[in-house]
């Protein structure tokens, strides 16, 4: 299985956990339309999860890449883990070279970083995104590489994005507690997303 396909499966699995169980069948039918193989894989993963005794999906995930207080790339002091996603993990950190400015530090998953072509493509996209300034798009500042050792004592490189730190509630969090939204509530959100996509393209 290619890394891109696995990332898609993981992203859909994470999203499915925020969908009430009684609505998952309909939701999966929509997002997996024309892909019965994808639907079967997600069904198996969700069934295994539901049958396990683990209540929190984060308990199934590996240890975080960085720990609070750790210095990354000889510059950023990690304050806390904010979230995990399909691409990697996001941390709140302080930039020592900019008087402790708070930034978001996003790690890039090992599978992506180790695929040369995927990583080079990712870097090109980062440089393009750095040139975009819009209120609906999180600013990307830089791409840095952190060098350290893994648990086996082997050297490893952890690529990280430094980004604008935005406080507030995520859309996924809002939808996990209240859905469906009314058309009146959806339209402003869809409009903002569409405007941001237009700027990016």
């Amino acid at each position: 299985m290619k890394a891109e396909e696995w990332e898609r499966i993981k992203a859909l699995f994470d999203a499915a956990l925020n969908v009430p169980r009684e609505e998952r069948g309909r939701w999966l039918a929509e997002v997996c339309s024309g892909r019965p193989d994808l639907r079967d894989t997600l069904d198996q993963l969700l069934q295994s999860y539901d049958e396990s005794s683990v209540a929190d999906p984060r308990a199934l995930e590996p240890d975080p890449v960085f720990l609070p207080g750790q210095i990354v790339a000889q510059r950023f002091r990690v304050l806390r883990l904010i979230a995990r996603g399909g691409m990697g993990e996001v941390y709140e950190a302080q930039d020592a070279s900019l008087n402790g400015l708070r930034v978001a530090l996003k790690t890039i998953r090992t599978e992506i970083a180790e695929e040369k072509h995927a990583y080079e493509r990712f870097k090109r996209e980062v440089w393009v995104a750095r040139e975009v300034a819009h209120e609906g798009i999180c600013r990307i500042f830089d791409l840095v590489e952190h060098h350290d050792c893994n648990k086996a004592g082997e050297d490893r490189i952890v690529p990280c994005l430094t980004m604008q730190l935005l406080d507030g509630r995520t859309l996924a969090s809002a939808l996990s507690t209240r859905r469906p939204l009314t058309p009146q509530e959806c339209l402003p959100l869809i409009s903002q997303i569409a405007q941001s996509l237009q700027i990016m393209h």
Side-chain angles (χ1 to χ4, degrees):
M1 180 184 296
K2 292 185 178 180
E4 292 88 349
E5 182 71 1
W6 171 245
E7 292 302 331
R8 183 184 182 196
I9 290 170
K10 186 177 185 307
L12 289 173
F13 174 77
D14 289 342
L17 293 177
N18 290 321
V19 177
R21 290 185 185 182
E22 62 273 13
E23 298 178 20
R24 280 184 191 166
R26 180 176 55 81
W27 185 84
L28 286 169
E30 292 176 3
V31 299
C32 300
S33 178
R35 287 289 309 276
D37 57 324
L38 181 61
R39 170 70 185 268
D40 289 344
T41 299
L42 287 167
D43 276 335
Q44 291 173 15
L45 289 172
L46 290 166
Q47 182 177 354
S48 296
Y49 173 76
D50 289 340
E51 291 173 353
S52 75
S53 59
V54 180
D56 186 349
R58 290 172 296 182
L60 298 174
E61 297 177 340
D63 294 335
V65 175
F66 300 131
L67 298 173
Q70 185 172 351
I71 303 300
V72 175
Q74 301 179 336
R75 175 176 171 183
F76 304 96
R77 184 168 69 86
V78 175
L79 300 178
R80 66 184 176 99
L81 174 66
I82 295 175
R84 284 179 157 143
M87 290 290 290
E89 299 172 347
V90 181
Y91 297 84
E92 179 181 352
Q94 287 181 315
D95 187 345
S97 69
L98 293 175
N99 298 320
L101 174 71
R102 290 166 59 238
V103 298
L105 188 69
K106 182 173 184 177
T107 64
I108 309 304
R109 293 182 65 87
T110 305
E111 305 94 293
I112 298 172
E114 290 180 347
E115 287 191 12
K116 182 178 179 181
H117 295 297
Y119 188 39
E120 290 301 318
R121 184 174 66 249
F122 174 76
K123 286 197 290 187
R124 287 195 299 271
E125 292 173 359
V126 168
W127 290 117
V128 170
R130 287 182 75 230
E131 304 302 317
V132 178
H134 184 268
E135 63 181 5
I137 301 172
C138 183
R139 292 295 309 272
I140 294 176
F141 300 135
D142 206 353
L143 177 64
V144 299
E145 293 183 342
H146 176 71
H147 297 256
D148 71 356
C149 296
N150 61 20
K151 291 182 178 179
E154 303 166 332
D155 291 335
R156 69 170 181 171
I157 298 175
V158 183
C160 304
L161 282 177
T162 58
M163 308 169 67
Q164 176 185 9
L165 180 66
L166 298 172
D167 291 317
R169 192 178 187 195
T170 66
L171 179 59
S173 174
L175 291 177
S176 69
T177 58
R178 184 166 176 273
R179 62 191 312 153
L181 299 179
T182 66
Q184 291 75 18
E185 292 171 317
C186 289
L187 284 174
L189 299 174
I190 294 170
S191 176
Q192 291 176 54
I193 293 170
Q195 289 174 21
S196 300
L197 287 171
Q198 182 181 27
I199 294 295
M200 284 297 293
H201 288 281

